[in-house]
C-alpha cells in the first residue's frame, strides 16, 4: 500500500490491483459534527503513483437501482478511455477486466467495493474493461474520463460470460437477494471468445 502525503498529513492510500493498470484509492476523510470532507482526486499524488497524468475530457454520473449491472465496457485503443471512478451515494462492486490481448493477465479481473462509507475510488487505464453492479437503490457513480464518449469506438463483452467468471454478488447491501439487470446492449454483448475472434479487443502495449 502506497501513501500520498500532503501538508495536512496522509491524504490517500493507493493500491495497484491484480490487473496491472488498475488502482484502488482510499482517501483520508476529515469528519466532525458538520459532516465529512475528503479529496477524491488529487495531483500530484495520482501521477506519482500511476506514473501518468489524467487528461480530463469528460465527467459522467450514473444512478442505478439495486441489481443493475453495467458493463463490461471498453473503448478502442488508441485513444482508449481511462476512467477514475467513485460512488458518492450507495454502494457498487466495481470491476476491472484485462481485455488487452497479449497481456500476461489477459482475461483476469479484480474488484473494489465503492461506497459512501470508505469512499474509495478506482482508476482504470486505457484498454481495461470496466463494469459495476449496484448494491443499493439509487447508487450514484461519478467518473472522470480521459476522452469524450464516441459511440463508434465503444464496445462491450458480456459480463456473465463464464470465461470471465466474474464473481458477481448475489446479496444487496441490506442483505436482500440481488437480481441482476442488464441493458439491452449489454445483454447482446459478445462473449470474450467472440470478441477475440472478431479482433474487437485492444492489444497489450497499444496507446
Amino acid at each position: 500500500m502506497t501513501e500520498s502525503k500532503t501538508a495536512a498529513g496522509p491524504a490517500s492510500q493507493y493500491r495497484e490491483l491484480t490487473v496491472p493498470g488498475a488502482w484502488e484509492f482510499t482517501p483520508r476523510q476529515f469528519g466532525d459534527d458538520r459532516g465529512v470532507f475528503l479529496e477524491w482526486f488529487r495531483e500530484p499524488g495520482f501521477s506519482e503513483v500511476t506514473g501518468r497524468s489524467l487528461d480530463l475530457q469528460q465527467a459522467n454520473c450514473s444512478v442505478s437501482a439495486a441489481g443493475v449491472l453495467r458493463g463490461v465496457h471498453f473503448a478502442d485503443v488508441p485513444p482508449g478511455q481511462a476512467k477514475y471512478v467513485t460512488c458518492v451515494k450507495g454502494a457498487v462492486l466495481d470491476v476491472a477486466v484485462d481485455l488487452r490481448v497479449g497481456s500476461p493477465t489477459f482475461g483476469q479481473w479484480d474488484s473494489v467495493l465503492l461506497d459512501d462509507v470508505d469512499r474509495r475510488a478506482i482508476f482504470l487505464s486505457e484498454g481495461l474493461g470496466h463494469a459495476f453492479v449496484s448494491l443499493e437503490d439509487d447508487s450514484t457513480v461519478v467518473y472522470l474520463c480521459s476522452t469524450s464518449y464516441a459511440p463508434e469506438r465503444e464496445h462491450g463483452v458480456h459480463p456473465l460470460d463464464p470465461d470471465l467468471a466474474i464473481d458477481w454478488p448475489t446479496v444487496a447491501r441490506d442483505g436482500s437477494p440481488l437480481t441482476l439487470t442488464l441493458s439491452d446492449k449489454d445483454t447482446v454483448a459478445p462473449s470474450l471468445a467472440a470478441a477475440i475472434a472478431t479482433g474487437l479487443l485492444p492489444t497489450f502495449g497499444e496507446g
Side-chain angles (χ1 to χ4, degrees):
M1 185 81 72
T2 302
E3 235 176 37
S4 171
K5 297 183 181 294
T6 66
S12 300
Q13 292 182 321
Y14 303 147
R15 178 177 70 90
E16 188 167 22
L17 303 186
T18 57
V19 174
W23 294 81
E24 173 192 272
F25 295 78
T26 303
R28 182 183 181 190
Q29 301 186 55
F30 301 88
D32 56 27
D33 56 3
R34 300 169 300 161
V36 174
F37 174 84
L38 67 142
E39 298 171 349
W40 77 278
F41 178 84
R42 186 179 188 275
E43 280 284 18
F46 173 84
S47 57
E48 288 175 353
V49 171
T50 63
R52 55 164 295 163
S53 61
L54 179 61
D55 181 16
L56 176 60
Q57 295 295 318
Q58 183 169 312
N60 298 337
C61 178
S62 173
V63 181
S64 303
V68 168
L69 173 54
R70 302 182 185 270
V72 176
H73 300 151
F74 66 98
D76 287 340
V77 180
Q81 187 181 67
K83 298 176 181 178
Y84 189 91
V85 188
T86 194
C87 181
V88 296
K89 177 185 177 185
V92 304
L93 183 72
D94 200 284
V95 176
V97 184
D98 194 344
L99 298 178
R100 303 165 297 188
V101 175
S103 168
T105 55
F106 177 75
Q108 296 183 27
W109 61 274
D110 202 351
S111 63
V112 175
L113 176 64
L114 306 180
D115 61 20
D116 51 16
V117 177
D118 293 320
R119 305 183 190 276
R120 294 185 180 93
I122 183 174
F123 173 68
L124 304 99
S125 298
E126 296 86 348
L128 296 182
H130 177 234
F132 65 82
V133 62
S134 173
L135 304 178
E136 180 177 288
D137 283 341
D138 297 324
S139 291
T140 304
V141 172
V142 294
Y143 43 108
L144 310 177
C145 303
S146 64
T147 56
S148 299
Y149 175 70
E152 70 279 5
R153 298 199 309 264
E154 301 288 331
H155 309 287
V157 172
H158 202 290
L160 305 181
D161 183 354
D163 285 342
L164 292 178
I166 298 173
D167 187 16
W168 296 111
T170 57
V171 178
R173 197 182 197 188
D174 62 4
S176 62
L178 201 62
T179 301
L180 299 181
T181 303
L182 279 65
S183 69
D184 292 342
K185 181 179 178 181
D186 290 339
T187 299
V188 299
S191 65
L192 181 64
I196 296 171
T198 56
L200 192 63
L201 301 179
T203 301
F204 185 63
E206 283 184 326

